[in-house]
Amino acid sequence: MEALARDHDLVLFGATGFVGELIAGYLANHAPAGLRVGLAGRSKEKLEAVRSKLPVAAQGWDLIEADSERPDSLAALAEGTRALFTTVGPYAKYGLPVVEACARAGTHYGDLTGEVSFVREAIDRWDALARTTGARIVHACGYDSVPSDLAVLLLHQAAEADGAGGLTEVQLVARAKGGFSGGTIESMRGQLDGMRADPVLRSLADDPYSLSPDRATEPSTRQPPDLGWVGRSEDGMRTAPFIMASANTRIVRRSNALQGWAYGRSMRYGEVMGMGRGPIGAVIAGATALGLRVFGAAVALPLTRKLMDRILPSPGEGPSEAARRSGWFHSQVTASTESGRRYRAVVAGPGDPGYAATAVMAGEVALLLASDGDRLPPSTGSLTPATALGVVLVERLRTAGHTYEVTSLT
């Protein structure tokens, strides 16, 4: 495809949203001098308000009016930049036209989605076109699913370097301190509503290989359930279901399949939350598992949903700055291999995982897509953080203060 003249190196679409403002702030403090950045959204007035709060280096950034419901504005947006990062969700409602515009323009794309059905539809519609135009379409570039995806990539690379064979049993135990924003709640509601209304979406949600590039060739390996009950990790920690497992596990399995099942043809991968040890840990794990099911049921019923709407944050609302600063995340991923060797990866960082830490992850992804293309894997089309950005993203996140470590256990 003939290269377009680009006015910008990077555009952040949805800069006036709760997470969008956080990412804009991160970019303002970390974008290299000379990088041509634009902030995009539906209201120029609101964009001006966001820009006014940014450091001096960002005061010259362009402000661009664009709307997901106006395809012409999205086409102009995509054609005018090398890379576009979008926070405009729920993605099933607003995201597909943005993916299409980037795929057609050969513009690199990143998002924060945890919506499996949206990713599947974006793959089916626009993967082939993006491969033709050279666009990297990279989904799930925040807390879901960067830590999961990169941790398993590093475990695979360690095992491969030691000649230990493919990964067999892999489990992530997540611990974190953080909150929810209204946008996240709205996205969860949308996914639950879609699954209730559409049996195809329910089937997709139940399929552990739903994001595979070629479902028919996936192995018949039985995968751990996404929403089990309480359990115990191998080091004795009580565990509960991890609400993000349904998205993260499918991203990791897609990464494996996109690389010819390099991680292991029969790899079993699951994620749980670590809740503590002993009787107290068991009680917390049980309460958490029950609470997740009660939340799902409450959102499903009109009466209880109205009650919850009064309590839960609305779109545009989220944790306070103090709460974001006090948050943290820590994921420990243990892997067994075909040779019997075992490895452990630790991924951790400061800040509320869904907001402060996600702003770091998303910001680094956006900067890589905009300015470091020659260092990235050559793949194009619908990708994952591991297959699009790989160890280059790991290096940048380490520099940004996040931990990515792998240890051989045996």
Side-chain angles (χ1 to χ4, degrees):
M1 178 178 177
E2 183 180 351
L4 296 170
R6 312 279 179 164
D7 295 325
H8 301 98
D9 300 307
L10 173 63
V11 168
L12 175 63
F13 184 39
T16 61
F18 186 79
V19 180
E21 284 198 52
L22 298 179
I23 297 172
Y26 185 85
L27 293 174
N29 286 301
H30 295 87
L35 192 75
R36 301 169 301 164
V37 180
L39 302 177
R42 289 183 298 179
S43 167
K44 194 165 186 178
E45 181 179 353
K46 291 181 178 180
L47 290 169
E48 287 174 341
V50 170
R51 187 178 62 180
S52 69
K53 294 181 285 187
L54 298 177
V56 174
Q59 294 307 307
W61 287 358
D62 288 341
L63 306 179
I64 309 161
E65 287 187 311
D67 190 331
S68 293
E69 297 179 347
R70 288 174 44 218
D72 58 333
S73 72
L74 295 181
L77 190 67
E79 291 170 2
T81 184
R82 296 176 61 192
L84 183 149
F85 198 98
T86 176
T87 67
V88 180
Y91 290 94
K93 186 175 183 179
Y94 300 113
L96 286 170
V98 187
V99 178
E100 177 185 4
C102 289
R104 291 193 182 282
T107 297
H108 302 318
Y109 163 103
D111 67 30
L112 296 174
T113 190
E115 302 169 37
V116 172
S117 60
F118 161 73
V119 177
R120 182 68 262 174
E121 189 167 1
I123 293 167
D124 293 341
R125 289 192 180 191
W126 310 120
D127 172 54
L129 177 61
R131 284 188 277 112
T132 299
T133 62
R136 293 183 177 94
I137 307 297
V138 193
H139 300 292
C141 297
Y143 182 53
D144 51 339
S145 304
V146 167
S148 307
D149 206 26
L150 296 185
V152 180
L153 171 67
L154 293 178
L155 288 165
H156 153 66
Q157 290 180 337
E160 184 179 49
D162 291 341
L167 307 180
T168 53
E169 295 287 334
V170 185
Q171 184 185 63
L172 181 147
V173 179
R175 293 185 295 122
K177 178 184 177 184
F180 288 95
S181 73
T184 299
I185 299 296
E186 186 67 18
S187 176
M188 293 168 63
R189 287 193 187 106
Q191 291 179 80
L192 291 171
D193 288 346
M195 287 186 288
R196 282 195 301 273
D198 189 339
V200 174
L201 294 184
R202 286 199 298 274
S203 176
L204 192 69
D206 290 338
D207 183 358
Y209 300 105
S210 56
L211 297 184
S212 173
D214 187 353
R215 182 63 183 86
T217 61
E218 287 286 357
S220 58
T221 305
R222 186 180 179 86
Q223 296 292 338
D226 299 316
L227 196 63
W229 285 97
V230 299
R232 190 194 300 261
S233 66
E234 64 175 37
D235 61 356
M237 183 174 291
R238 299 288 184 170
T239 63
F242 186 31
I243 196 169
M244 295 163 64
S246 60
N248 293 343
T249 55
R250 284 149 181 78
I251 291 291
V252 169
R253 293 181 194 124
R254 179 168 175 80
S255 292
N256 188 24
L258 285 172
Q259 297 172 89
W261 296 277
Y263 299 171
R265 184 70 178 163
S266 300
M267 180 183 74
R268 282 172 43 86
Y269 177 70
E271 297 187 349
V272 293
M273 272 198 304
M275 308 306 298
R277 303 179 189 279
I280 294 178
V283 170
I284 296 173
T288 301
L290 180 61
L292 287 173
R293 284 167 168 77
V294 170
F295 174 80
V299 171
L301 301 173
L303 178 61
T304 50
R305 175 179 281 200
K306 289 181 180 179
L307 294 174
M308 292 180 70
D309 285 344
R310 299 177 182 177
I311 302 170
L312 296 172
S314 300
E317 299 177 350
S320 67
E321 182 177 359
R324 296 195 303 270
R325 288 182 179 275
S326 68
W328 52 269
F329 73 97
H330 182 284
S331 296
Q332 180 174 286
V333 193
T334 307
S336 301
T337 66
E338 293 168 344
S339 69
R341 292 195 63 167
R342 299 177 64 254
Y343 298 83
R344 175 177 296 149
V346 172
V347 179
D352 183 303
Y355 304 99
T358 281
V360 176
M361 298 174 202
E364 292 298 338
V365 168
L367 292 173
L368 273 176
L369 291 174
S371 60
D372 260 348
D374 57 339
R375 299 181 59 213
L376 299 178
S379 301
T380 58
S382 185
L383 302 169
T384 61
T387 56
L389 308 165
V391 295
V392 183
L393 179 57
V394 172
E395 293 167 1
R396 292 194 66 126
L397 291 174
R398 283 172 175 158
T399 301
H402 290 188
T403 297
Y404 282 82
E405 298 176 348
V406 176
T407 305
S408 175
L409 300 178
T410 55

